[in-house]
Structure formats: C-alpha cells, structure tokens
Amino acid sequence: PAPTPGFPLPSTHSQQAYDPASDFTSKWTRADAKQIMAQSDSTVAPGVNSMSPDVTMPEIPEDFPTMNDDVWVWDTWSLTDENANQISYKGWDVIFSLVADRDAGYGFDQRHWNARIGYFFRKTNADPATDKWNYGGHVFADGASIGNTEWSGSTRLMQGNHVNVFYTATTFYDVAERNAGGGGIAPDAAIAKALGNIHADQNGVTFDGFTHTKLLEPDGEMYQNKAQNPGFAFRDPYTFEDPAHPGKTYMVFEGNTGGTRGEYECKAEDLGYQPGDPNAENLNEVNSSGAYYQTANVGLAVADNKDLTKWSFLPPILSANCVNDQTERPQIFIQNEGGKNKYYLFTISHQFTYAAGMRGPDGVYGFAGDGIRSDYQPMNNSGLALASPTDLNLPSESPERPTPSQNGRQFQAYSHYVQPGGLVQSFIDNVNGVRGGSLSPTVKINFRDGISQVDRTFGQNGLGPFGYLPTNLNVGGAGHY
Ligand code: FRU
C-alpha cells in the first residue's frame, strides 16, 4: 500500500521461520504500530470510530442478554486438542471462563482480584440463539489451586477422559490490594496446570480428580519477574503441537522483557524505521519520552516430558519493546494457505498499555509467519486485526475511567480469541455505560497472507450469536445416552 503522507513506512519482515529453540525474537516495531494511526481517519467528528471498517468490530447493542445472573464472565476458551480443534465431548460443547460472583459486593472492575475458572456446557449443535450455556460452577474445589486467584489459560483434552487445565496461578497477599483493586503488595504469578478427569452423561459435564503442578516462574533473564517490576506480566498459557516439529509440545504465554523496570533502553531495531525515512523518530527522543517502560513480549516454552509437568523457557517469539506493555492471551493459529502452513500469532492488547508516542485501540493483534518462531509480519501492516470502535484522534483511556467525549463502545469488548473458521469470541465490558460480564456476539474475520477483514455478511451485519463457540471435532461419540 502507498505510504500515508506524514507517517513512516512500516518495518520489513521476511516471515522466515527459525528453529523454535533459536534466539531470534521478532519485533513489533514502532514503525509497524505507527501504521495504526496512518490507517486511521484524522477527519472524523470527535468520538466517532476513526478506524477502517475492516478492523472494527460491529457495534454491540446496549440491550445484550446476560449469560449468567450469578457470575460475571470474562476471558473464555473452549476445550481443545493439541491442534486447536474445539472438542465436542460425548455430545457436549464445553467452555471455560474466568468468573467472579456478581453479588459479592465488588464491581466488575474488581474482577481480576476475585477470579476463578468456571465452566459452561451445552449440547453440541444447540441453537445458539435460544439454548443458553449451562453453568457448571468452578472447575477446581475451593482452595485447591496453586495461588489464591485463577487467571487465564487453556484446557486440553488428553488421552481418554483426562484433561489438562493450564492456568495462571496468581497470589495476592494483601486484602487492600484485593478489595481496592491495586496499589497494595504486588501479587506473585506462576504458570500451572491441573490434570484431572472430565465426565459426561445425559445431564451434562462434570470434572474431578485434579492434581495441580506448578510449571514455570519467570526467570528474570528472558522473562521479567516481580523483583524487577511489581507490575510484571507472566500469564495466560496456551499449549499446542507444531506440525513442523512433531512430538514436541510448546506453550506461548504473556511476558515482559527481563530486566529491572526502567532500565531498558529502546534500540534502533525496536523502532524499526527504514533507512532515511523522513518520518522516522529519533532514538534519543524516543528514549527521553519514557517509551522504554513498555516491554511486552510473547514467551515460548517447550515441554521436557510427555506428562507436560516439566518445561523449559525458550527466548520470546515476539517483543513489543517501546511499543506496548501487554501482549495478552497469545495463541498460535495455523492456516493452510496455498498448500503451505501459515502461522498466525494472535494476542490481545489495550490502549492504555501503549508506550509514549503510540496510539492504538483495545482489541486483538495478529502476526503472520512461516513458523512459530519467525520474522512475523504484523497483520494489515500495523498488527491490528480487530478492535472496539474508537476515535484514535482522542487521547487513550482506560476501561475503568472512560470519558463521555469518546466513542461509547471503545471498551465494548475485550479478550478477543480467534477460533477455527476465523470466528472471534470476546467478552462484553462496557457498551455506552452498560457493563457486561457476559460473552459478546461472535464475529468473523477472514484473513490470508496477513491481511484481514471483518466479515459483515456473517450473522446480522457482522454480529453472530452471543457466546458462539462451536466445536469442530467430536470425541467420545455423539452423546446419545
Ligand atoms: C485479559 C486478562 C488476562 C488475565 C486476566 C485476569 O483480560 O488481563 O491477561 O489472565 O485478564 O483477569
């Protein structure tokens, strides 16, 4: 595409694959992320969505249905296998969500401090418009998990009826931190798993027999730890197998670049400008702006045993140093394109975690390459794949404190997760002041060669059924009990 006057050119990325164990880390550069503003319309009336319809999630109606009256629901994932197939187990679709009690006396913004993993089930091929998800309760017994708060992860069906629930074991030490939502003693974070059993009968799905194992804590070298930054991120494990490396199991997760907060220095490669670009930023100026505080990465680890109880860190596959501080809930989505596997790394991020001088929306970002470790090409040249309607000409805001002058749907949805067929599910946060805590209408993106487009022929003007997470693979029969 032709460059936008006044904006720099994006970085060049080969998409070339590297050995997953090698130390090549792809960079989502400032030059790349600057394309978000280059592609945004600077002339819209204040508060109107300024982004291309190709990357804008259609508007969620204010009168959205509540998925469950007892619990708020946010980050959600399906039961999957090692190839990201979504599994129907004995005739039931099963999903896992972070949940928090709706009537426990705290608000939706306090959910992180009170998070548990819950699950829902419904008949495979149910009518998503009329058949509600049945709430099964918490997956783990009270007090059973490692840590005192359960954050996001993924669930894999293993041999027989065994399941591995990978999760973030977060431990808060401070009642003030928990109740006030921040400002107290920083929590610990570990990546853990629980091996247990799934059961299904004509009444639905249950789980039991979980054994919890701590898998990884940040090493402080490749992945920042709490001593280096109380606000570190180390969470959201997702495991998978790579057809290019049979017999190995990998995990991607959210991390930050190792080192003491504030000591990172932005490098020319983090900026990624083309030589002689008249619209390039000056490295010293970027460093003086404090952009070095934002050091997100997407981590990679490899399992050392078949039980998936022992893991080793590998270098991060993506860094966003001096661009953004959080690349959350990463996932690897493999798509056959022209007889060849294209690897898409998807990750969610916020507007408030961008570095100084950068601006982008809450949404899901994507990167395309020829392997799990590759010189990833940011989707649509910028990285942005799908976002909530936002006027990017106005300053960034946080979901806790939106202002009325912005688009009332800038935080309509978050935690977008890309499923087979390009279906993207997410949770509703704030629609024109109406708080969510329930699953969004699923939308569909079509993508190929790193270019994506919201499919507005899907559902009603692009909005599919609420909480539509269909399965694509049956295990254990069709469930005729
Ligand atoms: C994304 C997220 C995850 C984390 C969870 C905590 O919405 O921030 O990174 O696991 O929410 O509630």
Side-chain angles (χ1 to χ4, degrees):
T4 308
F7 284 90
L9 289 163
S11 308
T12 306
H13 297 277
S14 70
Q15 301 192 43
Q16 182 197 329
Y18 292 79
D19 183 339
S22 74
D23 71 354
F24 177 84
T25 297
S26 185
K27 291 188 185 306
W28 182 30
T29 67
R30 286 176 73 93
D32 297 327
K34 287 271 181 196
Q35 306 309 311
I36 297 169
M37 287 310 288
Q39 294 167 17
S40 164
D41 185 346
S42 61
T43 66
V44 296
V48 172
N49 174 49
S50 68
M51 300 176 300
S52 159
D54 290 348
V55 293
T56 305
M57 186 179 181
E59 295 192 355
I60 300 176
E62 269 172 47
D63 60 350
F64 55 82
T66 298
M67 181 174 177
N68 186 277
D69 292 329
D70 299 325
V71 288
W72 281 302
V73 174
W74 66 108
D75 296 13
T76 296
W77 60 92
S78 295
L79 178 68
T80 58
D81 67 6
E82 65 281 7
N83 299 314
N85 288 306
Q86 300 195 168
I87 305 292
S88 156
Y89 186 72
K90 296 191 175 176
W92 295 101
D93 291 358
V94 192
I95 60 172
F96 302 82
S97 300
L98 296 189
V99 298
D101 291 345
R102 279 181 183 261
D103 58 5
Y106 48 77
F108 185 56
D109 291 323
Q110 259 70 59
R111 66 190 181 280
H112 308 291
W113 291 266
N114 299 280
R116 295 286 299 273
I117 298 174
Y119 74 101
F120 297 82
F121 55 89
R122 79 176 164 199
K123 287 251 165 66
T124 301
N125 298 325
D127 180 352
T130 52
D131 286 339
K132 287 196 100 177
W133 284 103
N134 304 290
Y135 182 49
H138 294 152
V139 175
F140 307 137
D142 290 353
S145 57
I146 293 172
N148 55 20
T149 313
E150 297 154 11
W151 283 8
S152 286
S154 48
T155 307
R156 267 185 49 191
L157 184 66
M158 311 302 289
Q159 288 292 331
N161 75 332
H162 295 315
V163 289
N164 263 317
V165 181
F166 295 88
Y167 66 98
T168 309
T170 306
T171 309
F172 289 101
Y173 294 99
D174 188 341
V175 178
E177 168 80 28
R178 259 192 117 128
N179 295 347
I185 301 168
D188 279 324
I191 288 173
K193 85 169 179 81
L195 176 66
N197 310 308
I198 180 171
H199 304 281
D201 62 19
Q202 68 276 15
N203 299 318
V205 172
T206 55
F207 294 92
D208 66 11
F210 283 109
T211 308
H212 293 256
T213 310
K214 192 188 274 191
L215 303 180
L216 290 165
E217 285 179 289
D219 60 352
E221 298 283 326
M222 292 185 276
Y223 301 104
Q224 192 176 53
N225 62 28
K226 173 170 142 174
Q228 297 172 327
N229 176 9
F232 74 118
F234 184 73
R235 53 183 185 254
D236 303 349
Y238 169 79
T239 72
F240 61 99
E241 289 183 15
D242 177 4
H245 300 278
K248 284 196 191 319
T249 297
Y250 294 98
M251 176 197 291
V252 285
F253 56 89
E254 172 184 1
N256 286 110
T257 301
T260 303
R261 179 170 195 267
E263 286 184 2
Y264 187 81
E265 274 183 46
C266 305
K267 301 179 179 59
E269 308 90 79
D270 300 325
L271 276 54
Y273 292 111
Q274 303 284 355
D277 188 331
N279 295 305
E281 296 172 293
N282 171 284
L283 183 57
N284 290 332
E285 281 169 21
V286 171
N287 271 311
S288 316
S289 75
Y292 52 79
Y293 282 117
Q294 278 70 34
T295 59
N297 69 26
V298 173
L300 187 69
V302 61
D304 297 324
N305 63 354
K306 287 267 171 262
D307 290 344
L308 310 183
T309 54
K310 293 197 162 65
W311 292 79
S312 298
F313 282 124
L314 296 171
I317 53 174
L318 184 86
S319 69
N321 295 324
C322 309
V323 174
N324 199 307
D325 205 36
Q326 291 188 4
T327 42
E328 312 202 278
R329 296 196 71 200
Q331 56 174 138
I332 295 284
F333 184 110
I334 302 175
Q335 170 164 277
N336 188 292
E337 294 184 4
K340 212 176 98 179
N341 275 339
K342 204 35 109 182
Y343 291 67
Y344 287 86
L345 165 61
F346 288 107
T347 177
I348 54 171
S349 197
H350 308 278
Q351 34 177 307
F352 75 88
T353 52
Y354 271 98
M358 305 302 300
R359 182 78 172 99
D362 276 41
V364 58
Y365 293 77
F367 303 85
D370 294 334
I372 54 175
R373 183 180 299 284
S374 49
D375 184 4
Y376 278 112
Q377 168 66 43
M379 284 175 79
N380 306 315
N381 284 322
S382 67
L384 179 60
L386 180 75
S388 294
T390 310
D391 180 358
L392 293 177
N393 303 303
L394 300 176
S396 82
E397 299 185 350
S398 68
E400 292 79 19
R401 279 170 291 279
T403 66
S405 55
Q406 245 294 1
N407 192 308
R409 287 185 169 79
Q410 62 170 331
F411 301 119
Q412 68 168 7
Y414 190 58
S415 223
H416 299 83
Y417 208 78
V418 185
Q419 310 179 131
L423 298 178
V424 189
Q425 52 97 359
S426 56
F427 75 85
I428 303 172
D429 184 338
N430 185 331
V431 182
N432 273 339
V434 184
R435 298 311 297 267
S438 196
L439 291 185
S440 305
T442 294
V443 301
K444 185 170 182 283
I445 56 172
N446 299 323
F447 52 96
R448 205 189 149 84
D449 251 339
I451 303 296
S452 72
Q453 195 170 37
V454 173
D455 186 343
R456 283 169 201 273
T457 66
F458 176 71
Q460 287 187 343
N461 299 321
L463 288 181
F466 288 85
Y468 182 51
L469 294 85
T471 50
N472 64 315
L473 194 68
N474 293 349
V475 172
H480 300 298
Y481 298 98

